[in-house]
Structures are given as C-alpha cells and as structure tokens.
Amino acid sequence: MPTHEINDMAKKEKNGRPPISEIHYWPTRKPLIVSRAVLLASISDRLQIEDFIKLISNDGKVPTFKSEPWKSGLYKKIYEDARRRGEEIYGDLTIYDPFAGSGMIGFEALRLGFNVELSDYNPVAYAIMKATLEYPKKYGKKLAEDVKEEGERIIDELRRELAELYPDHEGKEVKAYIWAWVVECKWCKKITPLVNDWTLLKDKGTITYIRPEDGLNFRCYESEKIDIKGNVDRGKALCLHCGREISNEYIREDIRTNKREILLAVALEGRTFSTDIKKHEEMVRKAHEILEKKKEELAQFIPSQEIPSEIRSSNYLTSWGDLFNDRQLLVLTSLVKKIKETVERYRREKGEEYARAMAVAFAMWVGKIVSRNCRATIWDSSRFGIGHAWLIKSA
C-alpha cells in the first residue's frame, strides 16, 4: 500500500474541502481518497502499485474528490480487471459498514459501482447519509433542483417579511453582530459583560479591538501590539466596575436565570467595525415584540427540550431554545414554518418518500444556518467571521 502517496493526496483533499463534507458538520470525516484506496485494495490482489495510484488519483491531474479515472480510457480496463478479480474472491461486491458515520466509505463505494449497506446509531449521521447518499442516488438532480428552487423562494419571502430587522449600517452591509453575556456583579451590583478577548480583527500586523468606556459603552481602537485579554479566564470573571472576582458558579446561575446579553459591536463589509449600535439594539427589541405577537403561531417550532447534562451549554442554559436570542428565534422559527408548509405540499403532490427527501435536505440547510446563528458561536478575529457552534466545546 503506497501510504506516503495516499497521505499526500489526503492532505490536499482536506485543504480542498469536498462538497460532500460541506452539507453538514461531522467531527470525524475521513478523506475520500483513503476510502477509495481501501476499497480498491480490498477487491484485488493483482493490482500493480503504478496502476493502483492511477486509479485512485488520476496521476494528480485534478482534485481527487472530483476525479473518477476508472470510468474511461486505460484506467477503465484496469478497474474492470480489478472488479472481476473482486467478484472471483467475494462474489457479490456489497460493502457493509455498520458504523458508517457520515458515509464517506459508502460514498466512494457508490462511485465505484458497488452495492452499499450503511448504518449508524447516531441520528445526525443517519440523516447526513440520507441527504448525501440515499436520496440523491434515488432522485438525482431533480431533488437538488427542487430544493434549490423552494429554498430560494423561502429566502425571498423571509427577506420581504423580516429584512427590516437587519438594517444596513451607514450604507454598509452588516456581516455579523458581536454579542457578550452580561451578569450583575455579586459585589457592586452593576452589570458587567463577560468577554474572553477584546480583539475584533488581527490583520497584517494591526490589531483592531474594543474597550469599555463609561460603563457599558464601547469604542474601537487599532494598535500593533497591545494586551487585549478579556475579563474572563477559566470560567471566572473580573467585574469591569469594581474589579472583584465573580465565581463561575455565580455566573452560571445568573445566566441561567436572566439570560442577559449586550451587543458590543457590528462587523461590517470591508472588514471594519462600529460600536454605534443603538439602531441595531432597537431592531432586536422590535424582533422581541414581533415574536411575542407570533408566539402562538410559532411556538411549535421553538425547541423546548432540555439540554442534556453532558452538553456544556447546560451549565448556563436550560433548553435548546435558550441557545437563540429573540431575533434569531423569530427568523429560524419562521424559516422552519415555511419549510414544513413546503414539505407538506410535496407530500400531497409527490408522495411521502419524496417529501421525506426534501425534508432531510432542508434539515441539512437549517443545521448550517443554526451553526452560525446561535449563542454558542464565537467571533473569530483571525478570519473576520463567526466560528460555527459545532466546533466550540461550550456548545
């Protein structure tokens, strides 16, 4: 087995991010090239190393996740010989993977023309495999076209209904809203934010950061070198007003009870920031009012299940719905409501199974949206972006 060559190709693939890896986060995705190599090595004991490398990589001419060299030319004959040898050894070439995860082995097996049987006890893994393997194979491009068409329609409708809650900032598009939890100091009784790092952007040797001024007002600064450590460390905090330590136990209870937060700044197009956030705070309050009026209509879409104790967010929050502020809840529940209506329409018009395929695809979409639109995210100052929740331990 040419392990060095496979390792090199796997590294390139991981840098390239195959589209199948992007549909939903999964923590242990294996490079497709490795799955392909294992499968091809398993079906024949007569493949020459040179032919083997050509089959899995097409001589490195295109990214391995786009390459299918076994389908044409000389490589096709090499593969057909290997496949015949596999049938001599095993008979029916069916791949069984009882712990399939996101289905990377199964995906490559399908591309190679094998029969595939996959399973996993994790419901997220099961849904990912349905969305990336079973339903696309069954329904083809038609499913992708319908999901795209309906998704674009839903986005257009939501923009018309809710765009006012996300206004531009002095003519610039807002890329992100940077929030922090706040608690009442146990000692001085003043409200203090909880911030690990005041950095907003690290760019070409220059650091953009914010500092509190006059209580809970903030201002942006730039510097080449500065200590911008926040007031939170290892779960404990220092009050910005009196400087005394606030214990993690107290912080947990305050957040769990009050769920208070403060908008520190907005990130704008052009990699700039502003701490003039009054207009945006007003829109958050307006979203709260709208959500209250629509509570009965949207209640069924607000996740009320208790967060399991093994999830670290349960130290601070009670239910899954607590992972979202009111504006996020309004948008997400409105989105899910429209998705449900769309799936029900497809159920009536095209049957139960096709409606399930649409629903699973939409579920992947919602998962992607939630991963960067909830209280479990962080601001990534090195990339000028929101770090998605699935990578954060507190999530």
Side-chain angles (χ1 to χ4, degrees), residues 288-303:
H288 170 76
E289 295 170 359
I290 296 173
L291 184 63
E292 286 298 311
K293 292 178 182 178
K294 291 189 172 185
K295 213 57 172 289
E296 185 175 342
E297 172 189 342
L298 299 175
Q300 62 177 307
F301 306 111
I302 298 176

Side-chain angles (χ1 to χ4, degrees), residues 77-131:
K77 183 179 185 307
I78 295 172
Y79 171 66
E80 289 174 348
D81 290 343
R83 185 182 176 95
R84 279 192 291 270
R85 179 56 179 161
E87 291 170 347
E88 291 174 6
I89 297 172
Y90 301 109
D92 177 33
L93 290 183
T94 298
I95 301 301
Y96 297 95
D97 188 351
F99 309 106
S102 62
M104 303 298 263
I105 293 176
F107 179 74
E108 279 301 305
L110 285 173
R111 294 177 78 191
L112 288 166
F114 299 171
N115 299 315
V116 174
E117 295 285 344
L118 307 175
S119 65
D120 200 283
Y121 74 98
N122 188 304
V124 177
Y126 175 80
I128 291 173
M129 288 189 286
K130 286 278 190 180

Side-chain angles (χ1 to χ4, degrees), residues 27 45 47 54 74 90 170 288 308 359 389:
D45 53 3
L47 269 175
K54 290 176 181 177
L74 175 62
Y90 301 109
E170 298 178 354
H288 170 76

Side-chain angles (χ1 to χ4, degrees), residues 177 179-182 255-262 284 288 291 307 313 316-329 332 369-379 386-390 392 394-395:
Y177 301 86
W179 294 83
W181 289 112
V182 297
I255 292 177
R256 187 183 297 113
T257 302
N258 300 301
K259 302 177 186 62
R260 290 176 289 203
E261 56 192 347
I262 186 172
V284 172
H288 170 76
L291 184 63
I307 300 175
S313 290
Y316 305 90
L317 303 170
T318 304
S319 73
W320 289 113
D322 294 337
L323 282 171
F324 310 97
N325 64 36
D326 284 345
R327 184 165 60 172
Q328 291 169 337
L329 268 181
L332 291 170
I369 294 172
V370 166
S371 72
R372 284 185 167 82
N373 290 274
C374 69
R375 286 167 163 168
T377 59
I378 61 170
W379 175 252
I386 301 170
H388 71 80
W390 315 136
I392 300 168
S394 63

Side-chain angles (χ1 to χ4, degrees), residues 294-351:
K294 291 189 172 185
K295 213 57 172 289
E296 185 175 342
E297 172 189 342
L298 299 175
Q300 62 177 307
F301 306 111
I302 298 176
S304 58
Q305 300 91 337
E306 186 174 324
I307 300 175
S309 59
E310 61 268 23
I311 305 296
R312 287 186 61 188
S313 290
S314 66
N315 294 328
Y316 305 90
L317 303 170
T318 304
S319 73
W320 289 113
D322 294 337
L323 282 171
F324 310 97
N325 64 36
D326 284 345
R327 184 165 60 172
Q328 291 169 337
L329 268 181
L330 176 61
V331 173
L332 291 170
T333 53
S334 299
L335 169 65
V336 174
K337 179 176 181 289
K338 290 181 181 296
I339 287 174
K340 182 180 180 182
E341 292 169 349
T342 301
V343 171
E344 290 298 330
R345 172 162 54 82
Y346 273 81
R347 181 172 285 113
R348 293 191 301 270
E349 296 175 357
K350 296 193 175 182

